[in-house]
Amino acid sequence: MKAPVIVMGMHKSGTTLVAEMLHRAGTPMVLPGVDPDYDSGTRYERRITQIINMKILGARDGTRYLPALMPIWEWPQNPFPTEFLPQIEAEIGDENWGFKDPRTTVTYPTWAQQFPEGARFYVYRSHREFLRRCFKKSGAKSRRLWRARREFNAWFGYNDCILRNFALDAAAHRPRVVLRYEELMRAPELVERAAQLTGVPLFDARNFDMRRTVGERAPASMLEKLYLMAAEVGNRARLKTLYEKLAQIRLAPTLIEESPIEQSPIEESSRR
């Protein structure tokens, strides 16, 4: 069985786009015959790897639903369930393959022990862009604020795991690349450079007409603005440190369109 290509990053951070790029370039991310489609729920994910992740995280039968915002990065983990290896081998055969599941970002050290070779792709997104969706939802203000607090905590947890995982890959000399989603959507050359860096072909599946390619956008509501101000003040040092570390390992664009990517004051200060 060939080494897998693994895509990691928090949910809603661009992992599906990267998985689609791999799949359409010849690295199958789903079973043969499965038509991957984001809106139908497939999202370029393999059911078997999802089950393995849930087993590692403590689900007895491997089917218990683990909500994305649970602090799974703090949980003790089980060893890799090797009883699933024959099923993986039967599904993959001698073909290239890859997989993505946001939970792999947390369980990756276990996967790396079982599959020590293969390229790794990481994607992260700014906290402001990520938290916007919490304030677009309908419902009581208290509910939206509750979700934003949980999302913000999860954003730290998953991106801390990216730093940990990247260090493991660097020590093992695995091909790896870290992409910032906002830059990936606006810097034309990043796809080709990521493919060259990892040695894995990528199909450019970006849609440059999407709203994610626009420049700076102000918070959509006063509630969002006030929450971001309070959250950034309360986590200033932690945010600055995390952005600095991610900036050191990400694949930085050399070409980018005119309007600047939105940055919080903390992000801007971390680049000075």
Side-chain angles (χ1 to χ4, degrees):
M1 182 167 54
K2 294 183 178 180
V5 176
I6 304 178
V7 178
M8 287 169 275
M10 191 179 183
H11 58 284
K12 305 297 182 183
S13 290
T15 56
T16 298
L17 174 61
V18 174
E20 180 183 359
M21 290 178 175
L22 289 163
H23 185 82
R24 295 175 67 178
T27 300
M29 302 296 285
V30 296
L31 286 173
V34 174
D35 183 19
D37 178 73
Y38 186 89
D39 293 329
S40 68
T42 306
R43 302 182 183 182
Y44 291 89
E45 295 181 358
R46 295 178 182 271
R47 180 58 180 159
I48 185 62
T49 52
Q50 292 175 331
I51 292 174
I52 290 172
N53 273 330
M54 288 187 281
K55 291 282 285 187
I56 294 172
L57 291 167
R60 292 181 181 178
D61 59 359
T63 60
R64 188 183 71 180
Y65 175 63
L66 298 175
L69 298 183
M70 294 178 72
I72 58 176
W73 54 92
E74 299 175 352
W75 295 3
Q77 297 183 17
N78 295 322
F80 190 94
T82 54
E83 64 268 23
F84 289 98
L85 288 176
Q87 182 176 343
I88 295 178
E89 292 176 355
E91 291 182 359
I92 304 305
D94 294 327
E95 301 298 320
N96 294 329
W97 70 294
F99 68 92
K100 77 97 174 172
D101 175 2
R103 286 164 292 208
T104 309
T105 315
V106 176
T107 62
Y108 178 65
T110 301
W111 282 96
Q113 290 180 350
Q114 189 64 45
F115 295 98
E117 298 180 353
R120 311 317 196 207
F121 288 79
Y122 299 94
V123 195
Y124 74 97
R125 196 171 189 169
S126 77
H127 69 284
R128 284 191 166 192
E129 181 67 22
F130 181 75
L131 290 172
R132 271 204 172 93
R133 63 196 190 94
C134 298
F135 298 96
K136 291 181 179 178
K137 299 180 182 295
S138 59
K141 290 182 179 180
S142 59
R143 177 70 180 178
R144 283 180 282 169
L145 288 171
W146 172 82
R147 183 172 182 86
R149 286 192 292 268
R150 293 194 69 182
E151 293 268 15
F152 198 26
N153 188 45
W155 184 87
F156 277 114
Y158 274 82
N159 286 303
D160 281 338
C161 286
I162 286 179
L163 295 174
R164 175 203 62 189
N165 298 347
F166 187 89
L168 291 176
D169 292 336
H173 305 288
R174 281 185 283 267
R176 61 205 179 274
V177 66
V178 177
L179 299 164
R180 175 166 172 164
Y181 182 69
E182 294 89 345
E183 293 172 342
L184 177 63
M185 288 301 298
R186 298 181 61 241
E189 86 284 4
L190 280 187
V191 172
E192 182 179 354
R193 289 178 59 204
Q196 293 173 347
L197 190 62
T198 59
V200 181
L202 292 168
F203 176 88
D204 192 345
R206 294 173 294 183
N207 180 356
F208 288 102
D209 292 330
M210 295 178 70
R211 65 172 180 80
R212 298 180 183 91
T213 63
V214 302
E216 183 174 351
R217 290 178 293 143
S221 67
M222 182 58 67
L223 180 65
E224 178 184 350
K225 181 177 181 179
L226 292 175
Y227 174 78
L228 287 173
M229 289 175 59
E232 290 175 355
V233 168
N235 293 275
R236 180 174 296 277
R238 190 180 180 190
L239 276 168
K240 186 173 185 294
T241 299
L242 183 55
Y243 274 119
E244 286 175 345
K245 291 181 177 179
L246 288 169
Q248 289 171 3
I249 63 174
R250 88 189 197 288
L251 182 62
T254 56
L255 302 171
I256 200 158
E257 297 179 5
E258 292 181 0
S259 53
I261 291 174
E262 177 196 6
Q263 293 180 341
S264 70
I266 294 172
E267 287 183 84
E268 292 175 350
S269 66
S270 71
R271 293 171 183 267
R272 292 170 186 164

